[in-house]
């Protein structure tokens, strides 16, 4: 286990916290190995619930490595469990942030060029382009852009009623010009 090897190498800010003699200077602090054994189950349970079983082991190790680094500064005021669970919570957040940034594997996408077919009805679009600017914009935003009249009004910076009226007038003109 990484934590045990990290502890045995004496990583952290210069102290082997598994050694009772190393923590003898602060009699209120228990050796880190005992701290780990006391809090491993609730931390692992929390991490499995937070990030899932697959990522929980990595987060667990990162949590206790961070705890090991900060352990010499820990004051034993009865909040050690909350302290290590706070570290675990932050490691879970880091995991979720990293996961969001990671590439998402996708199924194999065929590399086939797709060309849009030319518009089937050039005459209709030519007539739409010939509409007065406000009517053209209202018709295109409403029917080609699939926006609501309220959204068209926002885009055109006019009232919803004015946008509705412009689209109506544009359609009316198109119906008169284009045979059914």
């Amino acid at each position: 286990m990484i934590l045990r090897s990290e502890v045995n190498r004496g990583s952290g800010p210069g102290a082997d916290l598994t050694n009772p003699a190393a923590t003898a200077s602060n009699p209120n602090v228990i050796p880190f190995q005992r701290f780990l054994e006391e809090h491993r189950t609730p931390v692992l349970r929390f991490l499995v619930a937070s990030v899932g079983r697959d990522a929980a082991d990595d987060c667990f190790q990162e949590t206790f490595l961070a705890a090991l680094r900060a352990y010499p500064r820990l004051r034993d005021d009865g909040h050690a469990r909350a302290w290590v669970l706070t570290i675990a919570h932050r490691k879970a957040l880091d995991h979720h942030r990293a996961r969001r940034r990671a590439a998402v594997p996708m199924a194999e996408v065929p590399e086939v060029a797709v060309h849009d077919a030319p518009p089937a009805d050039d005459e209709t679009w030519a007539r739409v382009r010939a509409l007065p600017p406000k009517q053209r914009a209202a018709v295109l935003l409403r029917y080609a852009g699939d926006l609501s009249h309220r959204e068209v009004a926002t885009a055109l910076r006019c009232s919803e009623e004015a946008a509705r009226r412009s689209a109506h007038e544009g359609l009316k003109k198109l119906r008169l010009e284009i045979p059914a």
Side-chain angles (χ1 to χ4, degrees), residues 73-86:
R73 296 185 304 271
L74 175 67
R75 287 177 290 163
D76 187 25
D77 54 358
H79 300 296
R81 186 179 202 166
W83 175 74
V84 75
L85 284 173
T86 300

Side-chain angles (χ1 to χ4, degrees), residues 8-180:
N8 290 339
R9 282 190 312 209
S11 67
D16 180 6
L17 298 172
T18 61
N19 181 1
T23 58
S25 62
N26 187 352
N28 295 329
V29 177
I30 60 173
F32 187 76
Q33 185 64 37
R34 207 169 104 211
F35 171 81
L36 171 71
E37 290 168 4
E38 286 179 11
H39 299 290
R40 70 181 319 144
T41 303
V43 168
L44 186 58
R45 196 176 305 142
F46 169 79
L47 288 170
V48 167
S50 296
V51 298
R53 186 160 298 282
D54 294 337
D57 289 338
D58 291 339
C59 289
F60 179 82
Q61 290 183 5
E62 290 173 15
T63 297
F64 277 100
L65 283 174
L68 177 63
R69 283 185 214 110
Y71 195 69
R73 296 185 304 271
L74 175 67
R75 287 177 290 163
D76 187 25
D77 54 358
H79 300 296
R81 186 179 202 166
W83 175 74
V84 75
L85 284 173
T86 300
I87 295 171
H89 172 69
R90 290 183 181 149
K91 294 300 176 185
L93 290 176
D94 290 347
H95 168 76
H96 288 298
R97 287 186 196 121
R99 191 173 176 175
R100 251 188 313 189
R101 291 188 302 261
V104 177
M106 303 288 290
E108 192 68 32
V109 178
E111 292 191 31
V112 177
V114 176
H115 301 284
D116 292 335
D121 196 4
D122 279 341
E123 185 180 337
T124 302
W125 290 111
R127 290 182 192 261
V128 170
R129 284 190 292 272
L131 288 173
K134 208 164 199 172
Q135 292 176 5
R136 179 179 59 232
V139 168
L140 288 174
L141 290 170
R142 176 69 180 113
Y143 298 102
D146 201 25
L147 299 180
S148 68
H149 287 293
R150 177 173 290 174
E151 293 167 326
V152 171
T154 302
L156 297 179
R157 297 182 181 188
C158 63
S159 69
E160 185 176 342
E161 218 25 68
R164 188 182 303 269
R165 186 74 185 169
S166 294
H168 171 76
E169 291 297 325
L171 284 179
K172 184 177 171 184
K173 187 177 277 185
L174 288 173
R175 285 186 185 122
L176 290 175
E177 293 176 359
I178 300 172

